[in-house]
Amino acid sequence: MVSAALAPAALPPGMALSVERVSHGFVLQDELLPVLQDIALDIEPGEFVALLGPSGCGKSTLLRLIAGLEPPRGGRILADGLPITGPDPSRVVVFQDPTLYPWRTVWDNVALGLEARGILKSQRHRVDQALELVGLARFASALPHQLSGGMAQRAALARALVNDPRLLILDEPLGKLDSLTRLTMQGELVSLWQRAGFTALMVTHDIEEALFLATRVIVFSDRPARIVEELRVDRPYPRHRDDPELVRLRQRILERLGLGGSW
């Protein structure tokens, strides 16, 4: 389970996010392929929002725009009321693949962000705190090949959390884990979010995962993605997968995705 949290005084509050009529696409063979169409979404500080939709509809593209990795072709995205114009340490992405450097220890992998910002010498304690937070303090000197899949993903989370992000952007972070490890990591991710207070935005293809983790679920159409449903998951934590309300919401999502008659 997750170890003791970082001291509350060291944690910034969650970030407010506004996606204002964003449209986006890519040029392929001299033609524009629309990917996102008129997306409008407001996320309150400290929310945990899950994005669901057909594979390839544009969910991960929206995450890239929010991370500041590229600008939208139309509309704008605001973080705490200010336009996003590029990447920032306050907005950190965790991908499906942990992408740990195999020649660096777990500690050194987690320290990468502070090292790149030139503040590692004075902030070394934050690496230790992040490893403690995700339960990897005893594996600080291990190399990535010595970790299980779940441990590697915890290391990736620690690498993100060491920057004290106000927005944690999760692009199917548990997608490659086996089912038992994935269930464990879902509970640990909720604990991290509750302890740290950041805003979380996650793409997942797992409806039950979205309902287990998120305070709100956004359902997208096929490409070009439009928002077709917003569902508030007003259930206490820890949640139980057989909760009748979660079962009802699951069926509602399946219907919106055109799969209601299959279950």
Side-chain angles (χ1 to χ4, degrees), residues 118-157:
I119 60 174
L120 178 59
K121 186 175 180 180
S122 63
Q123 300 291 321
R124 293 176 62 88
H125 65 282
R126 287 167 59 176
V127 180
D128 298 324
Q129 289 175 327
L131 288 172
E132 184 72 20
L133 181 61
V134 301
L136 286 180
R138 293 177 57 191
F139 295 87
S141 61
L143 291 169
H145 76 269
Q146 297 173 307
L147 305 179
S148 67
M151 293 167 69
Q153 197 56 276
R154 278 197 283 270
L157 285 168

Side-chain angles (χ1 to χ4, degrees), residues 201-253:
L201 182 62
M202 182 178 73
V203 162
T204 178
H205 286 99
D206 188 321
I207 296 174
E208 290 186 352
E209 180 170 88
L211 294 172
F212 185 76
L213 295 175
T215 57
R216 188 156 46 117
V217 177
I218 311 299
V219 183
F220 288 89
S221 69
D222 206 347
R223 190 179 63 242
R226 296 172 293 101
I227 294 176
V228 295
E229 186 90 41
E230 294 190 30
L231 299 170
R232 189 162 296 280
V233 189
D234 189 17
R235 304 300 296 159
Y237 297 94
R239 291 174 178 168
H240 302 282
R241 297 169 201 277
D242 59 353
D243 182 324
E245 176 62 10
L246 297 187
V247 173
R248 184 189 71 81
L249 290 173
R250 178 177 179 272
Q251 184 62 32
R252 175 64 179 167
I253 292 170

Side-chain angles (χ1 to χ4, degrees), residues 183-196:
L183 292 176
T184 300
M185 285 295 296
Q186 287 171 0
E188 293 187 353
L189 188 53
V190 167
S191 294
L192 288 171
W193 165 67
Q194 290 178 317
R195 290 167 185 257

Side-chain angles (χ1 to χ4, degrees), residues 25-35 73 223:
F26 302 102
V27 175
L28 297 176
Q29 298 179 341
D30 297 325
E31 291 188 9
L32 180 65
L33 174 68
V35 176
R73 287 181 172 270
R223 190 179 63 242

Side-chain angles (χ1 to χ4, degrees), residues 5-77:
L6 298 172
L11 295 167
M15 177 180 289
L17 194 69
S18 295
V19 180
E20 298 184 346
R21 304 196 66 176
V22 163
S23 295
H24 197 65
F26 302 102
V27 175
L28 297 176
Q29 298 179 341
D30 297 325
E31 291 188 9
L32 180 65
L33 174 68
V35 176
L36 300 171
Q37 180 177 318
D38 203 27
I39 303 297
L41 177 64
D42 289 314
I43 298 175
E44 296 296 323
E47 270 199 282
F48 196 130
V49 176
L51 308 182
L52 279 171
S55 180
C57 74
K59 303 181 298 298
S60 293
T61 296
L62 180 59
L63 293 192
R64 287 180 57 81
L65 301 181
I66 291 170
L69 299 178
E70 58 185 292
R73 287 181 172 270
R76 63 176 186 165
I77 304 174

